[in-house]
Amino acid sequence: MIPAAFEYVAPDSVEAALQALAEHGDEAKIIAGGQSLLPVLRMRLNAPEWVIDLGRIPSLRGVRDAGDHLVVGAMTTHADVGDDPLVHEHALLVTKAITHLADAQVRHRGTFGGALAHADPAGDLGAPVRALGATFVVQGPGGTREVPADDFFVDLFETAISEDEILTEIHLPKHTGWGAAYEKFVRVAHQWPIVAVAATVRLDGDTIAEARVGLTNMGPTPLRAAAVEQALAGQPATEAAIAAAAEHAAEGTQPPSDLNGDADYRRHLATVLTRRAVLAAAGRNGGPAL
Ligand SMILES: Cc1cc2nc3c(=O)[nH]c(=O)nc-3n(C[C@H](O)[C@H](O)[C@H](O)COP(=O)(O)OP(=O)(O)OC[C@H]3O[C@@H](n4cnc5c(N)ncnc54)[C@H](O)[C@@H]3O)c2cc1C
């Protein structure tokens, strides 16, 4: 279907984009890479009168080192984040997740911030970003505020970004030297995950000193598998210890039931994928963790 007619504006600064957003209110919609918004417009699930394109704001693109964290501009494409050496060195979990995200075409158009603002519970970036303890920088008429990852995802397709605000940056705390793996279960290649697990671990010799585990599509928002993280801390990085900890993966989750699988199937998948992801992140699956 062809989208309903709309007016289009492409400001060259965040301030001008916020001004346009303030002028047109709920008649306006921001477009980033368009990989989720355009299908919505084409299906006429939404028909904004104004579309505000962030694509001509250079300050929203790129990755930079800010000491203890990396700053990822909201308009940086998945491909650019995935290829970035700083991200590979300090937030390997994100690099790993992006290799599983859609196909090359979508990765070259879709943006890091757009995907997180869209907040699809099956999106591949929410769980890794939550597991890493990211901070979201949001700019509005009243200035800039920072939202911790635990508060950013509010509900299905709903985030802490207000209608008059723009997501400008995502801050990724450095996890230098941590092993990482993203295990995604799909029926055919390039699909959205039925369930996926993001795991990153810091080893101290043969012991798991710390682990961070995120779950994709196990509830209306990306989740932290806190019980798994607690069970792993201080344990030997052995198959038996990791398998025992992974048994906690579905605790506190609310997986959906749909044509791809019911909730019990997803709980089972979460356990299996958590075991695989932690084993791989700890370098215990026969392959290199880094
Ligand atoms: C065929 C196909 C397969 C895909 N497969 C996957 C997959 O396997 N895994 C996966 O994770 N994703 C997948 N995607 C989605 C992809 O990751 C998109 O890039 C992402 O969902 C949206 O990013 P975007 O930059 O295109 O945002 P857009 O589509 O432009 O915007 C999405 C929403 O976010 C809002 N928004 C965007 N940027 C901002 C901002 N800076 N501040 C405030 N609001 C903002 C928009 O108003 C809109 O509501 C797929 C997409 C397609 C088309």
Side-chain angles (χ1 to χ4, degrees):
M1 237 193 297
I2 295 173
F6 54 78
E7 299 293 331
Y8 171 86
V9 60
D12 58 9
S13 69
V14 174
E15 290 69 26
L18 286 171
Q19 179 65 31
L21 209 49
E23 270 171 37
H24 304 297
D26 56 11
E27 291 165 0
K29 198 81 189 145
I30 283 170
I31 192 164
Q35 298 303 293
S36 294
L37 184 64
L38 284 178
V40 165
L41 299 188
R42 281 177 167 273
M43 286 187 277
R44 300 210 177 191
L45 297 172
N46 200 328
E49 287 182 20
W50 284 84
V51 169
I52 303 168
D53 188 349
L54 302 183
R56 292 193 194 156
I57 308 178
S59 64
L60 291 180
R61 287 185 194 273
V63 177
R64 64 184 164 85
D65 193 326
D68 63 349
H69 64 274
L70 300 180
V71 176
V72 182
M75 287 295 291
T76 315
T77 63
H78 302 311
D80 285 345
V81 177
D83 288 344
D84 193 278
L86 285 172
V87 176
H88 187 275
E89 185 180 356
H90 302 295
L92 182 64
L93 186 54
V94 168
T95 310
K96 296 269 177 165
I98 288 177
T99 62
H100 293 273
L101 191 157
D103 51 40
Q105 198 174 352
V106 171
R107 291 199 292 270
H108 278 86
R109 295 294 310 178
T111 66
F112 200 68
L116 291 165
H118 190 54
D120 188 323
D124 285 303
L125 295 180
V129 158
R130 225 189 135 180
L132 289 174
T135 299
F136 293 78
V137 181
V138 174
Q139 200 170 327
T144 297
R145 63 191 179 99
E146 295 192 355
V147 184
D150 287 348
D151 299 332
F152 182 76
F153 299 100
V154 175
D155 206 344
L156 208 66
F157 297 103
E158 192 186 336
T159 69
I161 310 171
S162 304
E163 282 192 359
D164 57 356
E165 291 180 322
I166 290 173
L167 173 65
T168 56
E169 294 175 350
I170 300 92
H171 294 182
L172 301 175
K174 286 186 180 173
H175 287 75
T176 317
W178 289 49
Y182 189 69
E183 286 286 331
K184 171 168 170 172
F185 190 80
V186 288
R187 281 190 297 126
V188 291
H190 304 315
Q191 253 193 348
W192 301 82
I194 297 172
V195 171
V197 175
T200 189
V201 302
R202 182 171 65 79
L203 290 177
D204 182 3
D206 286 333
T207 300
I208 296 177
E210 258 182 283
R212 291 172 163 260
V213 180
L215 306 174
T216 306
N217 219 5
M218 285 296 289
T221 64
L223 298 173
R224 277 285 284 278
V228 176
E229 294 176 359
Q230 281 162 20
L232 285 169
Q235 292 297 312
T238 58
E239 285 209 38
I242 291 170
E247 289 298 321
H248 297 282
E251 282 180 25
T253 61
Q254 302 162 268
S257 288
D258 57 30
L259 288 176
N260 284 316
D262 62 19
D264 278 343
Y265 180 60
R266 283 190 160 90
R267 287 188 194 98
H268 171 69
L269 278 178
T271 304
V272 173
L273 297 174
T274 297
R275 177 172 53 76
R276 288 185 192 164
V278 176
L279 277 171
R284 296 298 192 268
N285 66 339
L290 295 166

